[in-house]
Amino acid sequence: MSGKVRQPGIHRLPAGSRVADALRAAGGIKADADTAGLNRARLLMDGEQVVVGVPAPVGAAGGGGAAAAGGTAGPIGLNAATAEQLETLPGVGPVLAQHIIDYRTEHGGFRSVDELSEVKGIGDRRFADLQPLVRP
């Protein structure tokens, strides 16, 4: 569970659990989360990541609402993403997107997601929000 929930992370749920069960396990939804398209009754699949209240990355299945609607969307590749794609991530605007691009240029790319925490403007909290949404 990631995005705008109180306790993001991996939550083990019994078979047959629904999105509503995952939301409870994650401590509920944050007040500022957009849940208009969230189907709380949908059955979960093993290993599924539910992203709440976060815009879907550019090029995600469904073209724009899968992640925000509680569906799954692939993580954004830090080594290939454009500034526009990076700006779809929570808390990432034009300046931070450019810092990410500058870091990958100066360091020959990201070898791991953990390196994202070394980018200027990304503190512990923002890193925790971004970590499940990106890949090297």
Side-chain angles (χ1 to χ4, degrees):
M1 179 72 55
S2 66
K4 297 196 175 198
V5 293
R6 287 182 170 71
Q7 299 170 350
I10 297 173
H11 300 281
R12 297 192 188 281
L13 300 168
S17 293
R18 298 183 181 271
V19 171
D21 300 318
L23 293 172
R24 274 192 295 280
I29 300 170
K30 291 182 180 178
D32 63 338
D34 177 11
T35 60
L38 186 63
N39 180 356
R40 297 171 193 233
R42 185 175 59 77
L43 288 171
L44 296 171
M45 295 174 43
D46 185 35
E48 178 179 355
Q49 178 183 21
V50 178
V51 182
V52 179
V54 178
V58 174
T72 58
I76 291 179
L78 294 170
N79 288 324
T82 64
E84 292 79 19
Q85 290 170 319
L86 293 168
E87 289 175 35
T88 66
L89 294 166
V92 177
V95 172
L96 188 52
Q98 189 59 51
H99 286 314
I100 293 169
I101 291 170
D102 291 344
Y103 181 91
R104 81 174 176 214
T105 301
E106 292 170 19
H107 294 89
F110 289 87
R111 290 177 297 283
S112 74
V113 172
D114 292 339
E115 287 182 46
L116 187 60
S117 66
E118 298 174 24
V119 173
K120 178 181 176 184
I122 297 183
D124 292 342
R125 185 175 180 138
R126 181 158 297 141
F127 176 72
D129 290 341
L130 295 175
Q131 186 176 20
L133 305 175
V134 297
R135 61 181 168 75

